[in-house]
Structures are given as structure tokens and as C-alpha cells.
């Protein structure tokens, strides 16, 4: 019995670490503005996530405004946790409440950010950061990895066409 207790104690001391998930993130513009107030839609997708079975994903959306120097940091627009709970930054909250910024999660491995009426002020470089979350023994979730997309440039509508649409 003593031998068994020693074995159990040894086994109890083994620390099990989660497997580091292996995945890529792509960001694509499925709609870009040609004129002022045209829509912009960005789709952030988790790719090649074979080692991420059982993981959950969250997203954070960032924008670097046009004209900012190379040393400037992108600003956080909003983040969505693995349960699709959305947190919108103060600067963008009013536009979100008015339906001018829309965030949704169509499935477990993609996230969409839509600007139904793009303004010149929306121009810039956008990117998303997708975080993988792993379930712990106590059923809590721990963030285990972050992957950043390459930026997508969204032109100001007047930059794309040189003019606004005439009604």
C-alpha cells in the first residue's frame, strides 16, 4: 500500500499543459466603399485550426487611422469574447448604438465587422486579433494564444473615387 501511495503522489505531481493551438487568421474585405456611405464589411476567419479542437475563439478589432505615422498604435474598436459578448470602446459606442457599426459571429471560427454607411473618417488600416481559449479542469477558460491578421486597408470613399456620389 505504501508503494501505491507513493505512485499516486508522483502521478498527482504531474502537471499537464494544454497543447498550444496551431491556427492562422485571415482578414478579408467582403465589401469596400466606392462612394461615401457605401458599406464596408470585414471578415476575420480562423484557418488551419486542426490542433484547436475544443478551443473557443474571441476577437478584437483594431484600426490605425490614415495619416498616422508608422510608430502609432492601432486603436481598439471592439472585442467579442468566446460567448459572443461584445464590448465596444467608448469612442465608437454611439455609432454602434445607432446601427452604424455592426459586429457579429456567423459561426465558431469567423467574425464579421460591418460599417453600413462608410464615412471618410472610417478610412484606415484594420486588423483583427483572434485569441484561442482552452477549458481548465475547474471549467473556467484560459486564453492560450493570440494571432494577429495582416492589415486590410479601407480607403476613405473620397480617396477611392475622388468624389462623392451625386443623388
Amino acid at each position: 500500500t505504501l508503494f501505491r501511495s507513493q505512485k499516486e503522489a508522483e502521478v498527482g505531481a504531474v502537471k499537464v499543459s494544454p497543447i498550444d493551438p496551431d491556427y492562422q487568421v485571415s482578414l478579408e474585405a467582403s465589401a469596400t466603399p466606392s462612394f461615401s456611405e457605401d458599406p464596408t464589411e470585414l471578415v476575420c476567419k480562423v484557418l488551419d485550426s486542426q490542433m484547436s479542437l475544443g478551443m473557443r475563439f474571441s476577437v478584437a478589432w483594431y484600426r490605425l487611422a490614415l495619416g498616422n505615422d508608422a510608430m502609432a498604435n492601432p486603436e481598439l474598436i471592439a472585442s467579442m469574447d468566446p460567448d459572443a459578448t461584445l464590448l465596444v470602446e467608448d469612442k465608437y459606442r454611439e455609432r454602434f448604438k445607432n446601427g452604424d457599426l455592426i459586429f457579429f459571429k456567423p459561426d465558431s471560427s469567423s467574425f464579421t465587422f460591418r460599417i453600413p454607411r462608410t464615412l471618410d473618417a472610417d478610412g484606415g488600416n484594420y486588423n483583427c486579433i483572434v485569441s484561442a481559449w482552452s477549458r481548465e479542469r475547474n471549467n473556467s477558460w484560459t486564453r492560450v494564444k493570440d494571432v494577429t491578421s495582416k492589415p486590410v486597408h479601407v480607403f476613405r470613399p473620397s480617396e477611392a473615387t475622388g468624389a462623392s456620389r451625386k443623388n
Side-chain angles (χ1 to χ4, degrees):
T1 330
L2 182 58
F3 177 73
R4 182 174 176 187
S5 296
Q6 286 176 333
K7 277 294 200 194
E8 286 174 357
E10 289 173 17
V11 171
V14 172
K15 182 171 167 62
V16 178
S17 299
I19 296 172
D20 191 26
D22 184 24
Y23 63 96
Q24 302 297 315
V25 173
S26 76
L27 179 61
E28 296 176 3
S30 59
T32 55
S34 295
F35 296 99
S36 185
E37 298 195 11
D38 278 355
T40 297
E41 184 172 277
L42 303 175
V43 180
C44 184
K45 292 183 181 180
V46 177
L47 307 171
D48 305 323
S49 60
Q50 303 91 335
M51 292 301 292
S52 302
L53 200 59
M55 297 281 170
R56 297 172 71 191
F57 297 102
S58 63
V59 69
W61 293 97
Y62 289 86
R63 175 180 165 265
L64 181 61
L66 294 171
N68 282 356
D69 63 49
M71 299 304 288
N73 290 324
E75 62 183 12
L76 178 64
I77 301 167
S79 59
M80 184 179 288
D81 72 13
D83 294 321
T85 301
L86 184 66
L87 295 173
V88 179
E89 291 298 300
D90 289 342
K91 179 179 178 177
Y92 298 95
R93 195 163 290 137
E94 191 64 31
R95 287 186 70 196
F96 170 73
K97 286 180 183 177
N98 292 337
D100 296 327
L101 302 176
I102 300 168
F103 304 88
F104 59 98
K105 185 176 181 177
D107 58 57
S108 64
S109 62
S110 63
F111 305 88
T112 302
F113 170 31
R114 183 179 296 149
I115 307 171
R117 291 175 302 281
T118 308
L119 307 174
D120 275 356
D122 295 321
N125 291 316
Y126 289 78
N127 72 305
C128 60
I129 298 176
V130 175
S131 301
W133 296 76
S134 174
R135 186 182 296 269
E136 298 294 321
R137 282 188 189 191
N138 65 1
N139 286 327
S140 67
W141 291 87
T142 301
R143 190 170 76 202
V144 293
K145 186 174 184 178
D146 298 324
V147 176
T148 303
S149 72
K150 290 183 179 175
V152 167
H153 183 71
V154 173
F155 289 99
R156 293 185 299 250
S158 62
E159 182 182 21
T161 62
S164 294
R165 180 186 346 229
K166 305 281 188 229
N167 288 337

